[in-house]
Amino acid sequence: MSYIEPAPIKDKENPLESMMQRFDKAVELLGISEEMYHILKVPRKQVIVGLPVMMDSGQIRTFEGYRVIHSTILGPSKGGIRFDPDVNLDEVRALAAWMTWKCAVVDIPYGGAKGGVACNPREMSAGEIERLMRAYTTALLDVFGPDQDIPAPDMGTGPREMAWLMDEYSKSKGMTVPAVVTGKPLVLGGSLGRTEATGRGVMVSALSGMEKLRINPYRATAAVQGFGNVGSHAALLLRERGVAIHAVSDISGAYYNNKGIDVAAAVAYRDRNNGSLEGFTGAELIPGEELLMLPVDVLVPAAKEDVITRKNVSGIQAKMIVEGANGPTSSKADDIINEKGIMVVPDILANAGGVTVSYFEWVQNRIGYKWTLERINRRTDRIMKDSFDKVYEVSLKYKISLRIAAYIVAIDKVSSTYKYRGGF
Ligand code: NAD
């Protein structure tokens, strides 16, 4: 037999491939049919649009935009719109599937979708971005709708873009239709509590996990990677519940204080300092990677994908990992994490607080009434806690990780709904 050079081992893994590997594992355990496997895997609709946009120079540039509806079995599809140079159909397709599982795991009546335009908003004027957003909306008027497909912000878009989308859609219908999009500015029907919702869900997930591991939050320590929307709110809320935050980090480095960081002071510093923690004096500056290896109870990766890999996982000392970011752990690290007995609350559960409050925004728009922040927080907490408990029970039943259990809960929900409905 001739010798075949083994393929090089990749350090980095595509997070979307990671997701599919876990999906396949869950499908195998659930024992669903091959037919159902394909129903769940193949997106319902994939739209590619060409978008000619007048640039400030007077020239017309044509962008390519996408919208993928992965599933509408549980209800209208839901998912963000990404403006980024790397956007492509494959990525949008995988992110759309991710949304299906995320909505199903927290039991909100939505299917999954995602959209995007290959463009660089950092190099475009506000006027150019507005014309692009309006062109994208017009091209997808037949796809979007409060009962069909409800977009939201994602990388490179925010409340401003969602306001333009709502306006363009409403103009075409001859009436104001706020429920066509979520993540809008408050004055246009956005929801209270949306900004901190994902961090809040991370906090509830962390406390639920600590309860199972019998960790007292008032004696617990945590490290939070990423100090943007998700990480800073998670850190603030965990601190409020008694957890000592020993380290936080952003792109400028990690900040460590074994007496506990004053998180509110760190947030105030970041807000005064152009969004960066650089120069924060309430802690010692350490290399970013070291944060992941600290001897804390809870590690919250809340920055980006693929930060915990087969290469660094053996150094992790935390008792639990709560995934604020999407795809922070590569699937190749899963087995080692499980061997080490670390509890991981997976992204599709831990960061679902955001889509939960987006759902509340849509509900409020539809009933024409605004809920108080107290009501929104109470309902978010309940949904997150109930979802955690359900996933935990499934993990005990099958003797599997919370991650695979979350996929099982989601896939079971979508496939059994499909079986009852038949056809659609
Ligand atoms: P953000 O842009 O507000 O914050 C990102 C933070 O991560 C910044 O502080 C940045 O400096 C930091 N960062 C980037 N690279 C880093 C690195 N290598 N090491 C340490 N820090 C680094 O983004 P966000 O909205 O907080 O989103 C963070 C993650 O959570 C993303 O994966 C996102 O997809 C996911 N997520 C966000 C929401 C939401 O509602 N915002 C919902 C679900 C999932």
Side-chain angles (χ1 to χ4, degrees):
M1 215 170 93
S2 63
Y3 174 74
I4 300 172
E5 188 72 33
I9 298 166
K10 282 197 293 176
D11 291 332
K12 287 271 172 194
E13 223 181 294
N14 177 340
L16 305 166
E17 277 169 22
S18 282
M19 177 191 69
M20 282 318 295
Q21 278 168 18
R22 286 136 177 181
F23 171 77
D24 286 351
K25 228 180 244 178
V27 160
E28 207 180 303
L29 281 167
L30 258 178
I32 67 170
S33 68
E34 179 130 6
E35 271 174 341
M36 186 58 77
Y37 179 78
H38 288 288
I39 291 169
L40 299 181
K41 209 172 164 179
V42 178
R44 281 312 167 87
K45 193 181 278 184
Q46 304 179 62
V47 187
I48 305 178
V49 289
L51 306 167
V53 173
M54 171 82 76
M55 306 306 278
D56 292 345
S57 64
Q59 278 189 324
I60 294 192
R61 204 173 135 196
T62 304
F63 296 87
E64 192 158 279
Y66 313 93
R67 186 75 184 166
V68 174
I69 312 289
H70 172 258
S71 170
T72 52
I73 294 170
L74 298 184
S77 49
K78 183 95 192 82
I81 300 169
R82 184 169 280 200
F83 277 9
D84 187 78
D86 294 333
V87 164
N88 60 68
L89 185 59
D90 263 355
E91 180 187 72
V92 175
R93 201 186 289 151
L95 291 167
W98 212 323
M99 284 304 295
T100 301
W101 313 131
K102 197 179 284 191
C103 293
V105 89
V106 285
D107 202 13
I108 56 181
Y110 281 149
K114 204 78 178 189
V117 179
C119 65
N120 190 348
R122 286 171 296 278
E123 288 174 1
M124 293 166 72
S125 69
E128 289 169 341
I129 296 173
E130 176 173 357
R131 291 192 289 280
L132 177 60
M133 194 67 224
R134 288 185 186 275
Y136 181 75
T137 308
T138 304
L140 292 165
L141 282 177
D142 292 343
V143 175
F144 295 152
D147 289 307
Q148 284 171 251
D149 178 37
I150 307 137
D154 194 78
M155 204 189 281
T157 62
R160 179 183 71 161
E161 286 73 17
M162 300 308 112
W164 291 327
L165 190 156
M166 174 195 141
D167 184 62
E168 199 63 24
Y169 184 87
S170 298
K171 272 198 307 205
S172 81
K173 299 290 167 199
M175 60 185 172
T176 299
V177 191
V180 69
V181 60
T182 63
K184 300 179 293 294
L186 264 183
V187 284
L188 292 191
S191 180
L192 291 169
R194 174 63 188 91
T195 312
E196 60 274 34
T198 307
R200 189 170 186 90
V202 168
M203 174 273 289
V204 175
S205 302
L207 291 191
S208 307
M210 280 188 235
E211 195 183 311
K212 301 293 180 200
L213 297 179
R214 300 185 194 287
I215 299 172
N216 177 348
Y218 286 91
R219 296 212 189 109
T221 58
V224 180
Q225 182 192 47
F227 208 61
N229 175 293
V230 180
S232 65
H233 284 111
L236 275 171
L237 291 164
L238 281 169
R239 182 68 209 111
E240 256 178 51
R241 302 299 187 283
V243 179
I245 309 297
H246 275 195
V248 295
S249 72
D250 68 5
I251 196 75
S252 71
Y255 301 82
Y256 171 67
N257 182 340
N258 67 1
K259 296 203 168 60
I261 288 177
D262 180 343
V263 183
V267 169
Y269 180 83
R270 177 201 65 186
D271 293 346
R272 284 196 308 271
N273 194 37
N274 232 349
S276 170
L277 283 171
E278 190 165 8
F280 178 60
T281 50
E284 175 197 344
L285 180 66
I286 59 169
E289 174 85 355
E290 277 182 26
L291 177 141
L292 299 172
M293 312 300 157
L294 291 172
V296 287
D297 296 298
V298 184
L299 175 62
V300 180
K304 60 201 251 312
E305 73 286 352
D306 228 356
V307 293
I308 300 171
T309 65
R310 198 167 33 159
K311 253 186 148 180
N312 64 8
V313 62
S314 55
I316 289 182
Q317 301 187 65
K319 298 188 182 79
M320 55 184 296
I321 298 173
V322 185
E323 295 185 336
N326 283 322
T329 312
S330 81
S331 67
K332 288 180 183 148
D334 281 355
D335 289 343
I336 304 172
I337 287 179
N338 295 340
E339 271 164 30
K340 285 170 73 109
I342 301 170
M343 173 191 272
V344 179
V345 189
D347 46 11
I348 57 167
L349 171 61
N351 71 32
V355 75
T356 301
V357 177
S358 288
Y359 164 62
F360 292 162
E361 178 176 336
W362 177 78
V363 171
Q364 292 170 80
N365 293 158
R366 305 204 78 180
I367 59 177
Y369 189 73
K370 262 189 179 297
W371 294 345
T372 60
L373 181 60
E374 190 266 327
R375 170 174 286 202
I376 287 162
N377 286 344
R378 189 164 23 90
R379 290 183 171 180
T380 309
D381 292 357
R382 194 184 61 219
I383 287 183
M384 292 303 300
K385 177 81 173 78
D386 289 353
S387 305
F388 179 94
D389 288 345
K390 189 164 183 186
V391 168
Y392 188 79
E393 248 172 56
V394 171
S395 82
L396 293 182
K397 178 176 161 197
Y398 287 88
K399 300 191 173 52
I400 46 169
S401 64
L402 290 180
R403 187 187 307 283
I404 302 301
Y407 277 93
I408 287 189
V409 167
I411 294 166
D412 192 32
K413 164 118 190 154
V414 179
S415 61
S416 49
T417 308
Y418 187 88
K419 275 189 218 144
Y420 274 112
R421 292 184 55 166
F424 183 66

